Amino acid sequence: MSERVRRQVMSTACIIGFFVLWELLCLMFHVSDIVLPRPSQVLATLWTRFPAIWPHALQTLYTTMVGFGFGIAIGILLGMLIGSSKLAYDVAYPMLVGFSSIPKVAVVPIFVLWFGAGTVPAILTAMIMCIFPIVVNVATGLAATEPELQDVMKTLRATKLEILWNVGLPRTMPYFFASLKVAATLAFVGTVISETVASNRGIGNLMMIASSSFDVPLVFAGLFILAALGVGLYIVFSLIEARVTGWAVRSDSFAAGG
Amino acid sequence: MNAPLAHPKPRAVDNVIELEKVRVTFGTAKNAVTALAETSLRIDKGEFVALVGPSGCGKSTILKLVAGTLNATQGNVFVAGREIGAGAARIGMAFQNPTLLPWLNIRDNVMLPLKIVPPFKERFSAKRKTEYRDRVEASLTQVGLGGFGDKFPWQLSGGMQQRASLCRALIHDPTLLLLDEPFGALDQFTREELWEIMQNLWIEKRPTVLLVTHDLKEAAYLASRICVMQARPGRIVDDSTVPFARPRTIDVSFEPDFVTLTQRLRQRIVAARAVQEIVS
């Protein structure tokens, strides 16, 4: 127990230390806030301009979550298809790899062309950013399902759907959650890219405008918000993951609670 | 692959398992490996048949054919008078490894067949907390796992997992029980204890049992009939009944008749291996 507390204290201290070091170095070398604002300046900006930043943060969060949601739904369906059918695997995998190699910035103008500037292209960009890791992981998880476990179901004359539901999907959950943590952060990247290019709302747009007027502390305030949202989402999924897939790491808390 | 022929002769339901000129080969024409040469085997309802032989002799192949997880290259497999896949028999199977689902606790693992197999699955969600729970608990108690229902597989030793896996194979009152060396990885005392449990169960409910093992003592103790198999190509070379009265105790295994039987089986296998070595 004390070992755990010590580790937590140490890690927290190191993270705080990083920002303190940043602050001190800026002060020591007299770095202008137009080049690199100090953390304290960023915090002050966040505090004083909160009413102006807040709606943008909400917009970005909302857009990301919707895009992420669609991404999860489509990602799971595609992953299940690819993981359970050889033909789908052969067809979809090269296409997916090719598609994910396209820089998403290049896709945003196309979305804008189709749907106009604003929320829709941002949602779509967030979605396509996060689909790839989810598809790959779900498909891998299904493919990695032990044939012995499937045989258990087959001797019981289980249908394909029952096998998928009782063995395939639970077996895939650790892979799925690992991909969610990556996908959640990618979804933010997607949203912000789209907002930067074609939107009048959202953190991406806020940072665009701020940097064009050399309001660097506000740009950094936007970055801080994005980082905080990303960390928040990551934590949420880690908690869900621990509850759902504790069996994979054989955690005692899972055994006691689950 | 050729389509299965329509069956003119109706099968007697008593022949709970019938392999009719079954062949299994793996791989394609050039480097095909014959896992099972043309084999016919009839097992009557309520029999306890053991398949023994060296590894690679096709005993697991026969089990997979009957379980329906493997298709015959040639010939027909009937279970309860129907061609395999029709799903007539209620099958319970225990494997060499416990193969418990790691995300379910022991209780839910044992309950799995009740969720899948009719008629149990019909009112599963209503009964899982009451009737089925008691059923599972009773079954776990029978193998000495009472009170372990909330544990997860990884929290149990290999022997305990194997016991749970036996419970899972039996929970839905199978009419056909397939055992693929389920006692192989256990220590001797646990093994003998589970033999006894198995025998009592068979006497009580009289399912048809097909046991794959390479332990001759196990085969002679449990089975009412022993088929000796030989490798390359896999085939049945000996088929004999076991005369000892039930219930058998471990002491029976030290009696002269028992020893003679296992000796004879052993010599049969050794002789087959010697021939095989000369050939290859």
Side-chain angles (χ1 to χ4, degrees), chain A residues 165-183:
Chain A
W165 187 252
N166 288 292
V167 175
L169 284 183
R171 185 70 191 80
T172 304
M173 282 300 120
Y175 293 87
F176 173 63
F177 276 99
S179 77
L180 278 197
K181 289 191 280 190
V182 179

Side-chain angles (χ1 to χ4, degrees), chain A residues 9-221:
Chain A
V9 170
M10 283 293 282
S11 59
T12 315
C14 284
I15 291 167
I16 294 173
F18 168 76
F19 289 102
V20 172
L21 192 68
W22 175 353
E23 182 88 27
L24 289 177
L25 285 176
C26 285
L27 282 172
M28 264 166 63
F29 296 106
H30 305 287
V31 180
S32 153
D33 65 353
I34 290 190
V35 178
L36 180 65
R38 286 175 275 122
S40 60
Q41 288 174 312
V42 176
L43 283 179
T45 313
L46 269 178
W47 180 252
T48 50
R49 319 227 340 229
F50 185 71
I53 298 172
W54 180 238
H56 291 290
L58 267 187
Q59 166 72 16
T60 299
L61 183 63
Y62 159 74
T63 310
T64 307
M65 292 314 288
V66 174
F68 189 41
F70 279 121
I72 291 175
I74 296 174
I76 290 180
L77 286 177
L78 263 181
M80 272 162 53
L81 192 70
I82 292 178
S84 43
S85 149
K86 287 221 163 62
L87 178 68
Y89 181 93
D90 292 340
V91 173
Y93 227 83
M95 285 183 72
L96 264 172
V97 174
F99 189 69
S100 69
S101 310
I102 300 170
K104 301 305 173 293
V105 194
V107 185
V108 178
I110 301 171
F111 286 149
V112 175
L113 207 65
W114 289 346
F115 303 103
T119 312
V120 180
I123 288 177
L124 289 176
T125 318
M127 184 185 91
I128 59 167
M129 283 287 279
C130 62
I131 281 182
F132 186 66
I134 297 177
V135 171
V136 171
N137 276 278
V138 170
T140 310
L142 282 179
T145 306
E146 293 83 349
E148 297 84 42
L149 297 186
Q150 292 178 335
D151 280 352
V152 169
M153 300 295 285
K154 279 184 195 159
T155 54
L156 296 172
R157 301 280 177 268
T159 61
K160 283 211 157 180
L161 196 68
E162 281 171 328
I163 296 179
L164 183 69
W165 187 252
N166 288 292
V167 175
L169 284 183
R171 185 70 191 80
T172 304
M173 282 300 120
Y175 293 87
F176 173 63
F177 276 99
S179 77
L180 278 197
K181 289 191 280 190
V182 179
T185 49
L186 283 179
F188 274 111
V189 174
T191 306
V192 173
I193 287 175
S194 181
E195 284 172 349
T196 315
V197 176
S199 181
N200 50 8
R201 286 164 74 194
I203 296 285
N205 178 251
L206 174 92
M207 283 162 57
M208 265 297 277
I209 293 170
S211 65
S212 64
S213 57
F214 292 101
D215 191 351
V216 182
L218 186 58
V219 176
F220 271 82

Side-chain angles (χ1 to χ4, degrees), chain A residues 157 162 166 170 247 254-255, chain B residues 67 91 102-103 115 121 152 155:
Chain A
R157 301 280 177 268
E162 281 171 328
N166 288 292
W247 59 268
F254 175 76
Chain B
I91 297 180
W103 50 89
K115 192 175 175 184
K121 69 192 255 187
F152 280 82
Q155 296 172 307

